[in-house]
């Protein structure tokens, strides 16, 4: 059954992804439900994982990277004593013989050492590009390759529960962090191995699981009730409100007079219509010239 043409043409949907679905599966379902082909998600969740997947549609797809900049909160569960090629329970499991598991205090201390900016090697079964191919595609073919480490930010890594060999962690981190890799690396640290057994993304910035909608419950009749305006994607940016005459000026790509002593040169600034709910543009602050130069301009239907 084809969905009818809708009035809302741009926005963000806070979807609660079920286990077993890929992030692409969710985007495909949203496209079919809302009848808009231009859709994209802001941060992949593995099929094992559940929870918040923000889907942008229409002109709001230009804001995917801004949603991805927001901190993410997870509740993850791991198991010591086993390893897998995928670093989670969905891979073929190998038991570590005579493994010694850490005490609770040892585990907490080790977790604390991961807080801050760390170097992390992505899982081999991941979407990282290796010489033009996805790492998981090479891994499935049995090809040997090495992945380089990259810096990621961990703001919080707390032990929530420890029932040896299973443990649960609360994690707040930046974009690009692989939660599976955290468990894998702690397992290697204690020489006992570890895999991730479950993962719930509880929030992405302001988008919390408590206010999400299950993908199975999303329909052409109710989806508009759950749409957030594009302006919600850039709440972490400094902003300037514009008058009606300035709005027309900006939408023609013209710079706007602006000075902010505390703002760095070339910083991004959101330009909003009076009221603060309608996004007009994202501009670059040019401190020497005391102007905002529009970089991404949104049409009138983005509100």
């Amino acid at each position: 059954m084809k969905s009818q043409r809708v009035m809302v043409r741009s926005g963000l949907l806070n979807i609660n992804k079920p286990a077993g679905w890929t992030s692409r599966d969710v985007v495909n379902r949203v496209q079919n439900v809302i009848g808009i082909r231009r859709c994209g998600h802001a941060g992949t969740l593995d099929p094992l994982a559940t929870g918040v997947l923000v889907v942008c549609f229409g002109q709001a797809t230009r804001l995917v990277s801004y949603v991805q900049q927001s901190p993410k909160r997870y509740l993850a569960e791991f198991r010591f004593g086993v390893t897998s090629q995928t670093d989670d329970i969905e891979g073929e499991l190998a038991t570590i013989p005579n493994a010694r598991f850490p005490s609770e205090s040892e585990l907490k201390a080790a977790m604390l050492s991961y807080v801050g900016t760390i170097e992390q090697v992505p899982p081999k079964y991941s979407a990282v590009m290796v010489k033009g191919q996805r790492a998981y595609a090479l891994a499935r073919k049995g090809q040997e390759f090495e992945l380089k480490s990259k810096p990621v930010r961990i703001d919080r890594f707390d032990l929530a529960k420890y029932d040896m060999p299973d443990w649960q962690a609360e994690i707040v981190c930046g974009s690009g962090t692989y939660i599976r890799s955290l468990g894998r690396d702690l397992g290697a640290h204690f020489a006992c191995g570890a895999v991730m057994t479950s993962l719930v993304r509880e929030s992405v910035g302001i988008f919390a699981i408590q206010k999400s909608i299950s993908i199975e419950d999303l329909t052409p009749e109710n989806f508009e009730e759950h749409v957030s305006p594009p302006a919600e994607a850039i709440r972490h940016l400094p902003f300037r409100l514009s008058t009606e005459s300035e709005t027309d000026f900006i939408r023609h790509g013209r710079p706007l007079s602006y000075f902010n002593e505390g703002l760095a040169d070339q910083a991004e600034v959101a330009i909003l219509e009076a009221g603060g709910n309608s996004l007009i543009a994202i501009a670059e602050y040019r401190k020497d010239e005391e102007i905002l130069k529009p970089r991404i301009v949104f049409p009138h239907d983005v509100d």
Side-chain angles (χ1 to χ4, degrees), residues 92-156:
E92 184 177 347
L93 299 178
T95 301
I96 305 298
N98 304 315
R100 173 195 171 273
F101 304 140
S103 66
E104 184 171 320
S105 60
E106 288 174 327
L107 179 53
K108 285 182 176 179
M111 292 169 71
L112 187 60
S113 71
Y114 283 78
V115 175
T117 299
I118 65 170
E119 289 290 323
Q120 184 184 72
V121 177
K124 287 198 170 182
Y125 280 80
S126 65
V128 173
M129 297 298 293
V130 180
K131 296 181 180 180
Q133 296 188 63
R134 298 292 185 186
Y136 63 74
L138 296 177
R140 287 170 182 167
K141 294 175 184 176
Q143 295 188 21
E144 292 295 325
F145 61 94
E146 294 295 326
L147 292 174
K148 295 181 180 180
S149 66
K150 62 173 185 175
V152 297
R153 191 188 77 250
I154 310 297
D155 298 316
R156 180 182 169 195

Side-chain angles (χ1 to χ4, degrees), residues 91-294:
E92 184 177 347
L93 299 178
T95 301
I96 305 298
N98 304 315
R100 173 195 171 273
F101 304 140
S103 66
E104 184 171 320
S105 60
E106 288 174 327
L107 179 53
K108 285 182 176 179
M111 292 169 71
L112 187 60
S113 71
Y114 283 78
V115 175
T117 299
I118 65 170
E119 289 290 323
Q120 184 184 72
V121 177
K124 287 198 170 182
Y125 280 80
S126 65
V128 173
M129 297 298 293
V130 180
K131 296 181 180 180
Q133 296 188 63
R134 298 292 185 186
Y136 63 74
L138 296 177
R140 287 170 182 167
K141 294 175 184 176
Q143 295 188 21
E144 292 295 325
F145 61 94
E146 294 295 326
L147 292 174
K148 295 181 180 180
S149 66
K150 62 173 185 175
V152 297
R153 191 188 77 250
I154 310 297
D155 298 316
R156 180 182 169 195
F157 192 17
D158 295 337
L159 185 64
K161 184 179 180 182
Y162 192 19
D163 186 13
M164 196 183 302
D166 296 310
W167 51 287
Q168 186 181 73
E170 295 174 348
I171 302 159
V172 178
C173 59
S175 179
T177 303
Y178 282 93
I179 306 301
R180 287 179 284 156
S181 291
L182 289 174
R184 175 203 66 201
D185 292 347
L186 273 170
H189 175 81
F190 291 110
C192 64
V195 296
M196 187 178 74
T197 56
S198 74
L199 180 66
V200 180
R201 184 190 279 164
E202 297 184 321
S203 66
V204 177
I206 65 168
F207 299 95
I209 195 168
Q210 292 85 354
K211 295 184 178 180
S212 65
I213 180 171
S214 169
I215 188 62
E216 294 101 331
D217 294 335
L218 193 72
T219 69
E221 293 73 31
N222 72 10
F223 98 89
E224 291 188 31
E225 302 169 19
H226 301 279
V227 174
S228 295
E232 295 303 308
I234 47 79
R235 292 300 183 193
H236 59 289
L237 294 180
F239 68 92
R240 182 195 190 282
L241 300 180
S242 74
T243 64
E244 187 174 340
S245 60
E246 287 174 334
T247 296
D248 185 61
F249 203 68
I250 296 161
R251 283 195 167 124
H252 283 87
R254 297 170 184 169
L256 191 64
S257 177
Y258 183 71
F259 178 72
N260 186 327
E261 186 176 357
L263 204 59
D265 185 45
Q266 299 183 339
E268 290 185 310
V269 177
I271 303 177
L272 306 170
E273 286 189 0
N277 293 319
S278 185
L279 179 61
I280 302 165
I282 296 174
E284 178 185 286
Y285 179 46
R286 298 187 178 179
K287 198 160 192 171
D288 292 343
E289 301 174 67
E290 297 187 8
I291 62 169
L292 290 175
K293 178 65 177 176

